[in-house]
Amino acid sequence: MARILVTGALGQIGSELVPALRAQFGSESVVATDIRRPSANGGLGAGPFEHLDCTSIRQVQEMVRRFDVGGIYHLASLLSAVAEEKPQAAWELNMGGLYRVLEVARQYGCALFFPSSIGAFGPTTPRQGTPQDTIQRPTTMYGVAKVASELLCDYYALRLGVDARGLRLPGLISHTAPPGGGTTDYAVDIFYQAIRYGHYTCFLRPDARLDMMYMPDAIRAMIELMAADPGRLRHRNAFNVTAMSFTPEELAAEIRRHIPEFRIDYDVDPVRQAIADSWPQSIDDGAARAEWGWAPAYDLAATTTDMLDKLGGKLNATT
Ligand code: AKB
């Protein structure tokens, strides 16, 4: 059976996607790759791990040939706040990496999953009920690369026959690997600080409303989209998906239902606040629901309960 290749496997998504794919398809069927080396305890479970710089087409070709790869989840990228600090590096990795992986997918007949983001929208996009097909004029390098990537995936699907599919993911909340350098990261950090110190200083304003999703829903969405009947996919790529939409003060209130003494204050980072202000507040995921049956399982209350339970257990075990 052809194997699945995951790039950026040590990141926030990859560290939960790889074990989920291995549980479904078998450990040896999933090749985890990253430009970093895994730590001693790994975290990805049993199965192959390879060093891969996805901006090198030769390295990607060799990996696909060596492991007889049939599908690629291409996750390697810089997140929004880091991309604003290093726009040239972000273009090189986020666009350059995708272009090379798409080329290899074309040459070897691989299917490809690409994670776009709510960052693909901009200040002129309708902010409430953001439609699937709408204005996309982002003002960040992260967003510019995401829009270009969505278009490139469409081109490779329509003109070059690559089965390229993708989601516009909202902020992801998870307890396995921390995110690094995103605008929505506060919604993960807050849980670590609430459990450890009962206090969190937030870098976004109390009323900064953004779409979010708990990682188990995101992982399921990625796997379900790649398994979906292509005949039903009118969009195929860049599906809006969401599970909830909340502000920092609403998340803090939900945490307080479990930790009544929890306190939040604010030290707003103008760069990340400006990015948040340019993104939608609630997107419409009707196309994903209609075309491949998307439905989230976790709302804010269920996410908060599960995060505090799982993360509490993990942090207590390491103290
Ligand atoms: C980020 O904040 O950069 C990401 C995203 C929403 O794409 N989490």
Side-chain angles (χ1 to χ4, degrees):
M1 190 182 97
R3 294 190 179 83
I4 298 169
L5 180 81
V6 180
T7 72
L10 296 176
Q12 187 196 11
I13 299 176
S15 37
E16 298 199 36
L17 179 65
V18 169
L21 290 171
R22 285 182 171 160
Q24 191 164 334
F25 299 106
S27 302
E28 293 305 314
S29 301
V30 181
V31 184
T33 70
D34 203 291
I35 199 157
R36 295 175 289 167
R37 306 272 173 195
S39 58
N41 57 4
L44 296 173
F49 178 89
E50 296 289 327
H51 178 265
L52 174 67
D53 173 359
C54 62
T55 64
S56 158
I57 194 158
R58 194 191 46 74
Q59 287 189 27
V60 182
Q61 284 166 329
E62 195 208 310
M63 206 60 67
V64 166
R65 266 198 308 266
R66 177 145 73 97
F67 288 98
D68 184 22
V69 168
I72 304 174
Y73 284 81
H74 176 52
L75 306 179
S77 83
L78 295 185
L79 291 182
S80 55
V82 176
E84 278 313 276
E85 271 168 34
K86 304 177 192 169
Q88 296 81 3
W91 180 261
E92 181 52 28
L93 174 61
N94 296 13
M95 266 331 285
L98 174 67
Y99 171 63
R100 287 166 185 107
V101 170
L102 272 169
E103 257 307 286
V104 177
R106 180 186 68 78
Q107 292 162 359
Y108 291 87
C110 306
L112 178 110
F113 172 83
F114 173 72
S116 188
S117 157
I118 52 171
F121 298 115
T124 50
T125 303
R127 290 192 83 199
Q128 272 88 30
T130 306
Q132 173 67 39
D133 302 306
T134 187
I135 301 164
Q136 289 182 266
R137 305 288 294 174
T139 47
T140 61
M141 176 52 88
Y142 182 70
V144 168
K146 288 294 187 196
V147 176
S149 298
E150 290 181 2
L151 294 173
L152 199 60
C153 286
D154 279 346
Y155 183 85
Y156 269 77
L158 294 172
R159 298 295 301 276
L160 303 176
V162 174
D163 185 3
R165 307 183 186 189
L167 304 172
R168 288 191 190 120
L169 292 167
L172 296 179
I173 301 171
S174 65
H175 53 78
T176 301
T183 302
T184 56
D185 290 9
Y186 90 85
V188 178
D189 296 341
I190 193 171
F191 285 99
Y192 281 83
Q193 304 300 321
I195 293 167
R196 282 189 174 129
Y197 309 114
H199 172 249
Y200 179 62
T201 301
C202 185
F203 57 76
L204 293 184
R205 278 197 321 262
D207 63 346
R209 179 174 299 283
L210 291 166
D211 281 285
M212 300 279 177
M213 187 180 289
Y214 195 33
M215 191 61 89
D217 273 338
I219 299 299
R220 191 168 51 75
M222 292 176 217
I223 296 175
E224 284 179 5
L225 174 61
M226 292 313 282
D229 172 3
R232 285 184 62 199
L233 300 181
R234 195 169 69 78
H235 287 87
R236 181 176 288 266
N237 173 38
F239 280 98
N240 283 4
V241 282
T242 187
M244 60 195 120
S245 163
F246 57 74
T247 64
E249 68 183 347
E250 288 168 356
L251 176 54
E254 191 61 38
I255 291 174
R256 235 175 262 120
R257 287 157 55 93
H258 301 260
I259 309 175
E261 63 283 7
F262 173 64
R263 284 182 307 109
I264 185 165
D265 59 24
Y266 298 87
D267 181 10
V268 175
D269 168 11
V271 174
R272 282 183 284 192
Q273 184 60 54
I275 296 174
D277 286 340
S278 76
W279 287 358
Q281 296 190 321
S282 64
I283 61 174
D284 174 1
D285 59 5
R289 289 173 186 267
E291 292 178 38
W292 49 278
W294 160 244
Y298 289 86
D299 61 9
L300 175 57
T303 300
T304 305
T305 303
D306 204 59
M307 272 296 282
L308 290 173
D309 182 40
K310 301 268 167 47
L311 196 58
K314 186 169 121 180
L315 295 180
N316 285 338
T318 55
T319 49

